[in-house]
Amino acid sequence: MKTPNNVSASIVTRNMSDFTHETGNVYESIAIISKRANQISVKLKEELNGKLAEFATTVDNLEEVFENREQIEISKHYERLPKPTNLAIEEFLEGKVTFRTLEEEALPVARPTE
């Protein structure tokens, strides 16, 4: 997953009215951002687990635990990444998040008449 460099890894004060441009409702926007943050989090976790699995050892003895420098570096890299919530907020504010509402799904589809 490519992480944009312009996303701040720290907390930023946001203007709540910025979240209403897409949906007209702050709470709906927050729900959309929350769902997107969960998607990003799952994807990052799968990616991290996949990379760490390459270094996994099948040792049955707990005393034989080895430190692996590559594992530590990979873990540190993922710790420095911006949080999924920050990434989701940036994507939402930049208009990169696609969403549908229940009203849109319930509308009948216009079909051409014969």
Side-chain angles (χ1 to χ4, degrees):
M1 179 173 174
K2 178 136 174 51
T3 307
N5 294 334
N6 60 348
V7 176
S8 173
S10 63
I11 296 175
V12 177
T13 304
R14 304 270 182 190
N15 185 355
M16 294 302 285
S17 65
D18 292 344
F19 295 114
T20 61
H21 295 302
E22 289 285 325
T23 61
N25 185 338
V26 173
Y27 301 106
E28 187 175 349
S29 297
I30 298 300
I32 292 167
I33 291 169
S34 172
K35 289 178 183 180
R36 179 62 184 139
N38 286 337
Q39 291 172 346
I40 293 171
S41 177
V42 167
K43 187 172 183 176
L44 284 173
K45 188 178 285 189
E46 287 174 355
E47 195 175 288
L48 174 62
N49 288 337
K51 288 183 180 181
L52 292 178
E54 296 174 7
F55 303 105
T57 58
T58 56
V59 177
D60 291 336
N61 190 352
L62 291 176
E63 295 174 3
E64 296 181 26
V65 176
F66 299 101
E67 280 191 22
N68 191 333
R69 180 62 59 200
E70 290 85 9
Q71 258 183 320
I72 294 170
E73 290 302 317
I74 290 172
S75 295
K76 284 183 179 180
H77 170 75
Y78 277 90
E79 287 174 4
R80 285 189 295 262
L81 289 177
K83 302 295 180 221
T85 306
N86 290 350
L87 292 171
I89 289 171
E90 288 300 321
E91 286 180 4
F92 184 80
L93 293 176
E94 292 173 3
K96 296 179 181 177
V97 177
T98 305
F99 59 92
R100 292 185 306 243
T101 61
L102 291 176
E103 293 83 23
E104 291 174 356
E105 293 176 4
L107 291 176
V109 177
R111 300 180 193 270
T113 57
E114 296 181 58

